[in-house]
C-alpha cells in the first residue's frame, strides 16, 4: 500500500496494472471513496473508468491550484462532487495551508 497524490503517477500505475492484468484498488479520504479497476477481468477498461482524459495538470507546476484540483477530482465526478470542505481548502493553499488537504472525510 502506498500514498500517491501525483495525478500522472496515479495514471501510470493504472496503465501498469492494466498491462500486467492485475486489479487496482484505490481508497481516498474524499467522502470515503473506494474504487476498483478490475484489469484482470476487464483488460480494456480505461484508467479511472474512462472518466479522466486529456492532459493531466502536474502537481509541481499547475496553472492554478483550482486547475490541479479540477483534474484530480474529474474522475470522481468533478469539483462540484467533492466535499465542501475540500473545495474551501483549495482557496487556502499557500495562505493558511501549506499543501493539498488530506483530511476531507475527517470530522471538522
Amino acid at each position: 500500500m502506498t500514498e500517491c497524490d501525483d495525478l500522472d503517477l496515479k495514471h501510470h500505475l493504472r496503465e501498469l496494472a492494466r498491462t500486467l492484468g492485475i486489479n487496482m484498488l484505490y481508497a481516498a479520504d474524499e467522502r470515503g471513496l473506494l474504487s476498483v479497476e478490475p484489469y484482470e477481468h476487464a483488460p480494456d477498461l480505461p484508467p479511472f473508468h474512462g472518466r479522466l482524459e486529456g492532459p493531466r495538470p502536474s502537481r509541481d507546476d499547475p496553472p492554478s491550484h483550482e486547475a490541479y484540483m479540477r483534474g484530480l477530482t474529474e474522475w470522481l465526478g468533478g469539483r462540484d462532487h467533492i466535499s465542501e470542505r475540500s473545495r474551501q481548502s483549495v482557496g487556502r493553499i499557500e495562505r493558511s495551508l501549506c499543501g493539498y488537504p488530506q483530511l476531507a472525510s475527517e470530522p471538522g
Side-chain angles (χ1 to χ4, degrees):
M1 183 183 328
T2 186
E3 182 176 325
C4 170
D5 289 333
D6 184 270
L7 197 52
D8 278 331
L9 184 55
K10 286 177 190 273
H11 191 270
H12 175 74
L13 290 173
R14 282 164 174 78
E15 288 288 1
L16 182 60
R18 187 166 76 160
T19 298
L20 296 173
I22 59 175
N23 299 327
M24 169 69 87
L25 178 65
Y26 174 81
D29 284 340
E30 183 58 43
R31 296 187 172 178
L33 171 76
L34 179 64
S35 176
V36 177
E37 295 180 48
Y39 298 120
E40 180 181 2
H41 302 290
D44 294 329
L45 179 71
F48 301 104
H49 299 274
R51 290 182 156 181
L52 183 62
E53 297 178 7
R56 294 168 298 278
S58 166
R59 182 177 187 177
D60 296 328
D61 190 29
S64 70
H65 295 297
E66 288 80 9
Y68 176 76
M69 214 48 173
R70 213 174 9 260
L72 186 62
T73 62
E74 187 174 333
W75 74 286
L76 302 172
R79 185 181 181 277
D80 293 340
H81 288 90
I82 62 173
S83 68
E84 180 63 26
R85 186 173 183 189
S86 288
R87 285 194 300 274
Q88 290 174 355
S89 295
V90 173
R92 295 177 44 209
I93 297 170
E94 294 181 353
R95 290 193 349 239
S96 59
L97 293 175
C98 63
Y100 292 94
Q102 297 295 314
L103 302 174
S105 65
E106 298 297 320

